[in-house]
Amino acid sequence: MEAERSRELSNIAAEVRKDVVRMISLAGTGDLSRSLALVDILVFLYWERLRVAPETPLEGGRDRFVLSDVLACPSLYAVLAGRGFFPRSELWSYARLGAMLQGVPTMRRTPGIDATPGFHGQGPGIAAGIALSLADVDPSPSVACLLDIRETQEGVFWESLRFSFQRRLGNLVLLVTLPQVEGAENARDSAGSILKEHCRILGCPTADMDGHDFSDMERVYTEKEGASAGGGMPLVLFADVRLGCGLGDRDAGRMLTLNGRPDVDWALREIESRRQREGGDGA
């Protein structure tokens, strides 16, 4: 990826993070830490990889996306608004009774949402069903599912994974985030190693990437996506992410809270300072 394009995506991600801070502060609810961690992956997908048409969100040939890690839904909402699926003003009513944007994404309520996720760990199964339904379409749309490594502890995840392999769903991409949590590295690494070993046994291609480095994400996708589809097997990508990314080390690894306007102003300044340090354009 060219440096100029990477800077453009970084600027977009900074604006998305600011909107996440604003909407969570207004709603008084939402997992700020997890939402900020997934912003860069979502920006990369929606601006670089997924074939989507915001003006016709139900277009049949579009790629699909399933957010299994529903705690991070504010980041998806902010990305969809930035991409033009609905007015940005809708973000400010997040989680209010009757609003378009609820605490769990709902496909019948919100433009750009391709699936209503179920309980913890059910996203990959939903994504596999969508991928199967699109397998005979030419060209076959891709289906991406973003989930947290902790979801792999659920039995339903392993059932959906086995189904994906058995049906040879080469149009399915599972993006598994590996959050950096202080004191929990062993559990995270152990769960990741178990999943990687199962993928190796089944012959499923895997790769590691930095979930905050746009060039690295593009490199991994370019190298692995074509081989996965050609071999008729789902692709599993492991993304290292930092909880609360954009806000420095304050309360790293925990759910960040915004206690009033001073905290909101501090968070917005931190995000802008990071943009400036990385060479982005000021807003």
Side-chain angles (χ1 to χ4, degrees), residues 190-260:
S190 176
S193 297
I194 291 172
L195 178 54
K196 289 178 182 179
E197 178 63 15
H198 275 76
C199 291
R200 185 192 67 79
I201 294 172
L202 293 168
C204 170
T206 65
D208 299 304
M209 65 184 188
D210 184 338
H212 302 300
D213 187 324
F214 296 112
S215 295
D216 192 49
M217 286 187 273
E218 181 186 56
R219 176 188 62 79
V220 169
Y221 253 86
T222 301
E223 291 177 356
K224 293 293 183 177
E225 196 172 32
S228 172
M233 296 294 276
L235 171 63
V236 181
L237 301 178
F238 294 87
D240 285 308
V241 297
R242 298 187 300 277
L243 295 176
C245 182
L247 298 185
D249 297 326
R250 174 174 170 174
D251 292 332
R254 298 193 295 272
M255 180 184 290
L256 298 172
T257 57
L258 297 170
N259 298 314

Side-chain angles (χ1 to χ4, degrees), residues 19-100:
D19 281 347
V20 168
V21 168
R22 294 180 181 114
M23 62 192 294
I24 288 180
S25 67
L26 287 171
T29 186
D31 192 329
L32 181 62
S33 178
R34 297 201 61 76
S35 297
L36 294 177
L38 303 190
V39 166
D40 295 319
I41 295 176
L42 291 171
V43 166
F44 173 75
L45 289 175
Y46 276 90
W47 269 266
E48 292 292 300
R49 304 305 300 186
L50 297 179
R51 295 175 298 172
V52 295
E55 63 279 3
T56 54
L58 298 180
E59 192 274 322
R62 74 189 188 281
D63 292 334
R64 271 66 163 183
F65 176 76
V66 178
L67 179 65
S68 187
D69 189 359
V70 295
L71 292 178
C73 69
S75 58
L76 177 58
Y77 291 152
V79 163
L80 291 177
R83 197 65 172 80
F85 281 91
F86 50 80
R88 181 167 168 259
S89 58
E90 292 288 347
L91 298 178
W92 318 139
S93 60
Y94 161 64
R96 292 182 184 175
L97 184 63
M100 175 192 293

